[in-house]
Amino acid sequence: MDRKTFIQKGITGTGIFAASAALGNVIKNDIDELKELDIIGFNHIPNTPSKILENSVFHKADSRGHANHGWLDSNHTFSFANYYNPERMHFGVLRVLNDDRVDAGKGFGTHPHDNMEIISIPLEGNLEHKDSMGNVAVIKKGDIQVMSAGTGIYHSEYNQSKDDLVKFLQIWVFPNRKNVTPRYDQITLDVNDRHNNLQQILSPNPDDAGVWVHQDAWFHLGKFDEGFAKTYQIKKKGNGVYAFVLNGSFDIEGFTVAQRDGFGVWDIEHLQIKANSQDAEILLMEVPMSL
């Protein structure tokens, strides 16, 4: 589908989204649709016979769903749009982890979302955001953006540059409260604070470090020197952690996790990670394993 057709058709938000009088009629397409989930759990996908822990999942980078729409090149860790894998629907309440590249001057036209916590983490370039709440902003590397879609919002996202790609992660988390008043927030963090440290970028507490969401979730970013080790302590009993390696390689609980691989684990109290390369970067997402 080309960008013009894509924008004309619009895109739906959550797969549990239903067009309403408030948001108007919505036409589904093949870019931003989610399959409905029968049960929210950890998807019951522990690894089959392997040396990996039974309470874990390992997703190699090249096993992700891939879609190239020309102006948008996207890798989906979990089922999304035309990528559907019943064993890769979600990790607890972590529903979407998309690794997106948007061409210069291109972007997502105005489209709706509801009842989802949507987190954007820019990795390269500048992404312009506009929404139905009146927010107009540009997010860049070092920024963290969050939207609580709640009762329903419209927004658009565009690559400002005429020459350079935008690379960013878009992450969707099921909220613990439905139909909240829509909300937008954006902060700029000091990336130096994550050197050999896990910098908190998201939590359930508005007064805590980072942005906040309607869910008992905590996200951290770290950039480590080779050989540096860190222990991550689970914040809430029963939560699991999904680790996504942005750069380099890590040893996680004795298992090697390379660039753009994902490793999820539950039924633990802490997580041991160690950088196997210089300037290794990691995103840790602690989330409830069920609603």
Side-chain angles (χ1 to χ4, degrees):
M1 177 185 299
D2 62 29
R3 178 173 172 271
K4 181 178 179 181
T5 305
F6 163 57
I7 292 174
Q8 286 175 341
K9 293 182 72 176
I11 55 182
T12 61
T14 69
I16 54 174
F17 179 90
S20 66
L23 291 177
N25 293 324
V26 176
I27 301 174
K28 292 186 176 183
N29 66 28
D30 60 354
I31 292 185
D32 196 11
E33 295 177 18
L34 297 182
K35 306 296 183 182
E36 292 186 5
L37 299 182
D38 295 326
I39 299 173
I40 302 297
F42 57 78
N43 206 27
H44 300 284
I45 48 174
N47 289 281
T48 52
S50 72
K51 296 180 180 180
I52 309 173
L53 302 173
E54 291 183 356
N55 58 323
S56 68
V57 291
F58 178 55
H59 300 142
K60 289 288 292 180
D62 60 7
S63 74
R64 296 178 295 172
H66 178 244
N68 190 334
H69 300 277
W71 61 275
L72 169 67
D73 193 352
S74 184
N75 286 286
H76 313 309
T77 294
F78 304 108
S79 293
F80 191 89
N82 286 336
Y83 170 59
Y84 177 71
N85 182 342
E87 292 188 345
R88 295 277 286 270
M89 296 301 294
H90 56 99
F91 179 83
V93 301
L94 176 60
R95 179 60 186 89
V96 167
L97 174 54
N98 285 351
D99 187 0
D100 290 344
R101 298 160 56 101
V102 179
D103 280 352
K106 307 295 184 180
F108 302 87
T110 302
H111 58 279
H113 296 284
D114 79 342
N115 285 317
M116 193 69 78
E117 302 295 299
I118 301 172
I119 302 100
S120 295
I121 303 177
L123 303 176
E124 184 179 311
N126 298 329
L127 192 68
E128 181 181 285
H129 165 95
K130 294 181 181 180
D131 64 45
S132 54
M133 296 176 281
N135 297 297
V136 179
V138 175
I139 58 173
K140 58 187 182 302
K141 186 172 183 178
D143 292 347
I144 307 296
Q145 180 199 75
V146 65
M147 291 188 297
S148 296
T151 54
I153 60 168
Y154 283 99
H155 79 130
S156 63
E157 298 160 297
Y158 285 95
N159 182 351
Q160 276 197 325
S161 175
K162 296 180 180 179
D163 303 304
D164 301 321
L165 282 170
V166 158
K167 300 178 183 179
F168 74 109
L169 301 180
Q170 186 158 109
I171 301 164
W172 295 7
V173 172
F174 284 105
N176 54 20
R177 293 177 56 200
K178 296 185 71 173
N179 298 320
V180 299
T181 300
R183 176 183 64 93
Y184 176 89
D185 195 14
Q186 173 187 342
I187 61 171
T188 300
L189 299 172
D190 186 347
V191 296
N192 294 317
D193 290 345
R194 66 190 65 155
H195 178 233
N196 288 339
N197 184 46
L198 290 172
Q199 179 188 46
Q200 182 172 291
I201 64 170
L202 176 146
S203 80
N205 187 350
D207 298 321
D208 210 350
V211 295
W212 67 277
V213 291
H214 294 285
Q215 187 52 269
D216 292 325
W218 287 262
F219 288 11
H220 291 77
L221 280 168
K223 185 174 184 179
F224 298 160
D225 296 332
E226 185 174 1
F228 187 84
K230 189 79 173 178
T231 299
Y232 176 79
Q233 197 72 30
I234 299 295
K235 309 294 185 186
K236 183 178 179 180
K237 185 176 181 180
N239 278 5
V241 178
Y242 193 89
F244 186 67
V245 176
L246 296 173
N247 189 53
S249 171
F250 283 83
D251 182 289
I252 304 178
E253 295 294 322
F255 190 75
T256 300
V257 185
Q259 184 167 317
R260 288 327 201 249
D261 290 348
F263 180 86
V265 60
W266 56 94
D267 292 338
I268 58 170
E269 295 182 356
H270 53 77
L271 189 71
Q272 301 283 351
I273 62 175
K274 180 181 178 181
N276 293 331
S277 58
Q278 191 66 22
D279 295 329
E281 295 183 74
I282 195 168
L283 169 64
L284 296 184
M285 294 167 280
E286 177 184 337
V287 295
M289 296 310 291
S290 62
L291 283 177

